[in-house]
Amino acid sequence: MISSIKPASSSFSTVFTGVRRSIPTNLRFSPLNIIRNSNNQSFNNSNVSHQKPLYISSSQNFKREVRVEAYEADRSRPLDINIELPDEQSAQKLKIGIYFATWWALNVVFNIYNKKVLNAFPYPWLTSTLSLACGSLMMLVSWATRIAEAPKTDLDFWKTLFPVAVAHTIGHVAATVSMSKVAVSFTHIIKSGEPAFSVLVSRFFLGETFPLPVYLSLLPIIGGCALAAVTELNFNLIGFMGAMISNLAFVFRNIFSKKGMKGKSLSGMNYYACLSMMSLLILTPFAIAIEGPTMWAAGWENAVSQIGPNFVWWVVAQSVFYHLYNQVSYMSLDQISPLTFSIGNTMKRISVIVASIIIFHTPIQPVNALGAAIAILGTFLYSQAKM
């Protein structure tokens, strides 16, 4: 028969072989009664007092030799039902709230500086490249100085990341081209139609089906974007198409990322860092071929002569804040569900649209504002319909 009881300082074993041994008095026990053996010839149940079950390991020679081990299970002590545990749920909600507030604030600041740079320096390919280069440099320094732990990757990881990086590069450049041609608010109104692209791509390319409320939620999204587009005072076809291409590219980025990263253990911060580095390698040769150093030099000289040294600060700020807001958004994905992230993304667009209209004094008609409101409402309904 084996029963285990652990003393406060160490465990002990006693073997009953005809010699009665006493338990040291300096050992402390949990609220378990001391096991007594009143007879060296027999071991009766009436002589055993216990609060935990005793298990028989072997029935052979039961009356002649019994090994008993006693321990105190994890220093058990009486349960105090009045113990107050920390409210982990409230702490998690606070953490998510901080993530969202930081994400929205960084995104607003990025869009403001990005638009200022593009107004003075209308070269979106270089601007996009600088954003990725700045983020890549920041993460390399963080890994080298061990501020952040460097990820452990292999060749398979980079293979699965490549299509994600291609889609991310296209979406990033297309959005920057759009903002170089139209108002920030208009670009984000069109980009609020991303859920419609997500459903259509998933339905026709992946064969996924959705419940009827999801399809119905697309009607206000499409209708609101169309109303905002036709009533936009400074409508530009290149700006409109850039926002639409960005929507489509980011949908494919999300699909490739979901498929390729299954089973990969990588933090959101490091994942986005690797994504930025690969996107930078993809984008740089295209930026040189399409715009080139000659155009950049002339445009930079003109911007500095008009704006002054502040222009350099604008470029640095838009590059740094672009990486930071994306990094925080990927970090938040580690803490929240995709549905919560989708709702947060919708609220982010509202903050960017309102802030850009106020800061840049963007003229907007009531009908145009109505179209934006309908599109954003449709995005919210879409996120609720997918619950």
Side-chain angles (χ1 to χ4, degrees):
M1 175 183 293
I2 295 180
S3 173
S4 293
I5 308 174
K6 176 182 170 187
S9 58
S10 62
S11 63
F12 71 95
S13 300
T14 177
V15 179
F16 292 90
T17 57
V19 179
R20 183 173 178 175
R21 302 184 63 179
S22 60
I23 299 175
T25 59
N26 62 339
L27 296 177
R28 293 185 292 110
F29 290 85
S30 158
L32 300 177
N33 294 326
I34 298 176
I35 299 175
R36 295 185 177 91
N37 184 0
S38 62
N39 195 323
N40 58 357
Q41 298 296 328
S42 62
F43 197 88
N44 298 322
N45 288 337
S46 60
N47 296 327
V48 178
S49 174
H50 60 84
Q51 292 181 350
K52 289 196 173 185
L54 301 178
Y55 300 96
I56 297 176
S57 62
S58 175
S59 61
Q60 297 178 356
N61 300 324
F62 174 70
K63 291 185 177 180
R64 289 179 295 174
E65 181 173 332
V66 178
R67 180 181 178 85
V68 177
E69 293 182 352
Y71 66 93
E72 181 182 5
D74 298 329
R75 298 182 179 268
S76 305
R77 59 186 63 181
L79 177 63
D80 184 0
I81 61 175
N82 294 322
I83 294 177
E84 294 184 2
L85 299 176
D87 192 350
E88 295 182 359
Q89 187 174 6
S90 298
Q92 181 67 10
K93 288 182 179 179
L94 177 62
K95 186 177 182 179
I96 293 174
I98 294 174
Y99 269 125
F100 274 5
T102 306
W103 175 22
W104 297 342
L106 293 172
N107 189 262
V108 168
V109 174
F110 158 71
N111 278 277
I112 291 171
Y113 279 110
N114 189 46
K115 184 60 178 175
K116 284 185 174 183
V117 170
L118 291 172
N119 286 341
F121 185 75
Y123 297 98
W125 288 82
L126 176 60
T127 304
S128 302
T129 304
L130 292 176
S131 300
L132 296 173
C134 181
S136 301
L137 179 61
M138 289 170 61
M139 289 309 302
L140 288 174
V141 172
S142 298
W143 293 339
T145 57
R146 297 190 177 182
I147 296 176
E149 184 179 356
K152 297 179 180 179
T153 61
D154 53 20
L155 183 60
D156 290 336
F157 168 79
W158 293 103
K159 287 181 179 179
T160 57
L161 188 66
F162 180 75
V164 183
V166 171
H168 179 73
T169 303
I170 295 173
H172 175 42
V173 173
T176 308
V177 169
S178 175
M179 282 192 283
S180 69
K181 299 295 183 180
V182 296
V184 175
S185 57
F186 180 71
T187 297
H188 280 273
I189 290 172
I190 301 304
K191 283 179 67 62
S192 66
E194 185 176 325
F197 286 86
S198 179
V199 171
L200 295 176
V201 169
S202 299
R203 178 67 184 89
F204 293 106
F205 287 87
L206 303 179
E208 296 182 10
T209 57
F210 300 90
L212 181 60
V214 172
Y215 293 109
L216 293 178
S217 69
L218 300 183
L219 297 179
I221 294 176
I222 298 173
C225 289
L227 182 61
V230 298
T231 58
E232 173 65 23
L233 295 176
N234 299 314
F235 179 83
N236 181 280
L237 183 59
I238 296 177
F240 174 76
M241 292 303 299
M244 296 289 280
I245 293 172
S246 177
N247 281 339
L248 187 61
F250 283 142
V251 167
F252 278 106
R253 180 195 65 179
N254 296 338
I255 292 174
F256 293 147
S257 180
K258 186 184 299 183
K259 285 188 172 184
M261 296 309 298
K262 284 184 178 180
K264 304 289 184 181
S265 57
L266 203 67
S267 68
M269 179 178 65
N270 282 337
Y271 177 73
Y272 180 71
C274 294
L275 180 62
S276 295
M277 293 174 188
M278 179 162 280
S279 295
L280 176 63
L281 295 177
I282 295 172
L283 176 58
T284 300
F286 287 96
I288 294 174
I290 294 173
E291 292 176 348
T294 303
M295 296 177 63
W296 294 339
W300 186 275
E301 183 179 354
N302 182 58
V304 172
S305 63
Q306 290 183 356
I307 307 300
N310 284 338
F311 173 73
V312 179
W313 157 247
W314 292 355
V315 173
V316 173
Q318 73 92 24
S319 301
V320 171
F321 282 108
Y322 172 80
H323 175 78
L324 290 179
Y325 103 75
N326 276 286
Q327 178 176 296
V328 172
S329 70
Y330 272 84
M331 290 171 64
S332 66
L333 278 173
D334 291 339
Q335 307 292 329
I336 60 178
S337 66
L339 174 62
T340 306
F341 182 84
S342 178
I343 296 174
N345 199 39
T346 302
M347 302 305 293
K348 177 205 72 176
R349 296 208 185 282
I350 295 175
S351 62
V352 171
I353 290 170
V354 173
S356 64
I357 290 174
I358 295 174
I359 292 174
F360 294 108
H361 306 287
T362 306
I364 184 169
Q365 297 180 0
V367 179
N368 187 263
L370 178 62
I374 293 174
I376 292 173
L377 175 62
T379 304
F380 177 77
L381 295 176
Y382 165 81
S383 63
Q384 295 298 305
K386 290 197 70 178
M387 291 182 63

